[in-house]
Amino acid sequence: MTEAKTIEFESAEGFPIAADIYGDPSNDPILFMHGGGQTRHAWGGAAAALAKRGWYTISMDHRGHGDSGWSPSASYELDDFTADFHAVQKQIGRKAVVCGASLGGRTALMALGEGSQDLTTALILVDIAPKTEAAGVARIQQFMRANLDGFANLEEAADAVSAYRHHRSRPKDVSGLKKNLRLKDDGRWYWHWDPKYLDRKDRNDPMHIDRVRIATPNIKVPTLLIRGGSSDVVSPEGVQDFLTLLPTAQFIDVADAGHMVAGDKNDIFTDAVVDFLGQTFAEHAAE
């Protein structure tokens, strides 16, 4: 596996945004943004695989997640994430493909639909669309709120993850969870994100949902939506709604994958991204 190097960007508020980079910096970049409650490591397999295929990949931790700074003012509204996105793009300093899952994809939709697209060559959305299923979103929130008091050990954390991701087998080696958990002085392991993130006011705000819908048709860059075939967050109806809003977008369904498509079917996900980008860049070269 290609080794990652960790760097820092600066958030819109001035605190650090941690990111892992893979591959040759002279290659065309892809910026990965994870979902709420995850970290940059959610993209580790995909970022490494795409770096081997000739891309320079950058996987960032959102504010309040992983090794990025926590907002002193607990500012975790979508507008705050979009401001960070634009700040990171400017610090990258050149056009990049943007790939966002869940929160990361919704951030990209609103940031690009309401703001500049000059630094974006293409957009890849992973199991996120303006219309989502309330039950699936509620299941994610329930999982995130269930263990705010931490875990006694990594095995206990692995059991909780396995119960949530019931379509995947429980790993025998649970040491990988150390990337997403932190051992604190009380001897318990805690998810490495700010619990105040859960207090976002815009999560179920109809005005916020309308903003994302209104922003979506403004996307001008080539766009691909990748849905997990067994996702309970984005339904076939949600896909059709998205394609109605943005008829120029492409869509693929990854069978046997849930909401975390890249983690469930990384090889299929990577192949889909490579095919899409190969087609996109070939068309641009021909123009």
Side-chain angles (χ1 to χ4, degrees):
M1 180 175 174
T2 302
E3 292 297 322
K5 176 184 177 183
T6 302
I7 63 171
E8 284 188 356
F9 296 105
E10 188 174 285
S11 76
E13 285 187 66
F15 53 76
I17 294 290
D20 282 347
I21 56 174
Y22 302 78
D24 185 344
S26 67
N27 291 338
D28 291 324
I30 303 176
L31 174 64
F32 289 95
M33 296 192 294
H34 61 77
Q38 296 181 323
T39 70
R40 67 188 188 278
H41 301 296
W43 291 115
L50 287 163
K52 287 183 177 180
R53 298 202 191 191
W55 294 87
Y56 172 54
T57 58
I58 307 163
S59 179
M60 61 176 274
D61 278 332
H62 287 300
R63 63 170 55 209
H65 291 70
D67 294 313
S68 287
W70 291 12
S71 171
S73 57
S75 298
Y76 296 118
E77 306 301 303
L78 197 59
D79 281 322
D80 301 306
F81 291 106
T82 61
D84 288 346
F85 166 70
H86 285 305
V88 169
Q89 276 202 313
K90 289 178 181 177
Q91 290 165 72
I92 293 172
R94 55 197 174 109
K95 289 189 173 185
V97 174
V98 175
C99 181
S102 202
L103 169 65
R106 192 174 288 275
T107 295
L109 272 177
M110 197 161 89
L112 298 176
E114 292 188 346
S116 173
Q117 300 174 38
D118 292 345
L119 291 175
T120 304
T121 52
L123 173 62
I124 300 167
L125 301 169
V126 184
D127 213 62
I128 192 63
K131 174 180 169 57
T132 55
E133 298 303 308
V137 174
R139 193 170 75 91
I140 294 172
Q141 294 180 13
Q142 181 180 19
F143 171 75
M144 293 177 69
R145 292 183 184 278
N147 299 107
L148 295 179
D149 59 346
F151 302 96
N153 49 55
L154 294 178
E155 293 288 343
E156 189 176 288
D159 288 340
V161 173
S162 181
Y164 171 70
R165 304 181 72 178
H166 52 81
H167 59 288
R168 292 186 65 183
S169 59
R170 184 186 185 279
K172 294 180 180 179
D173 182 2
V174 300
S175 61
L177 284 171
K178 291 180 180 179
K179 293 179 178 179
N180 298 322
L181 292 160
R182 293 295 181 272
L183 180 62
K184 295 192 176 180
D185 292 340
D186 62 0
R188 295 181 66 79
W189 293 85
Y190 294 84
W191 295 120
H192 204 225
W193 43 266
D194 188 347
K196 293 179 180 178
Y197 165 75
L198 293 172
D199 298 329
R200 279 176 53 198
K201 298 179 179 63
D202 64 6
R203 188 184 303 277
N204 299 310
D205 182 358
M207 185 177 295
H208 153 69
I209 296 171
D210 285 344
R211 277 182 66 188
V212 176
R213 289 186 62 80
I214 293 168
T216 296
N218 298 329
I219 304 294
K220 304 302 180 186
V221 298
T223 300
L224 171 67
L225 169 60
I226 302 177
R227 174 183 177 264
S230 58
S231 170
D232 59 356
V233 175
V234 177
S235 66
E237 292 75 20
V239 171
Q240 190 53 55
D241 176 70
F242 172 73
L243 295 176
T244 299
L245 292 170
L246 191 63
T248 58
Q250 298 182 38
F251 163 70
I252 66 167
D253 202 73
V254 178
D256 300 322
H259 184 53
M260 301 177 197
V261 181
D264 290 345
K265 297 290 181 179
N266 189 57
D267 290 345
I268 297 174
F269 171 82
T270 301
D271 287 343
V273 170
V274 168
D275 289 345
F276 168 68
L277 294 179
Q279 173 189 338
T280 298
F281 279 76
E283 290 176 352
H284 282 193
E287 290 177 356

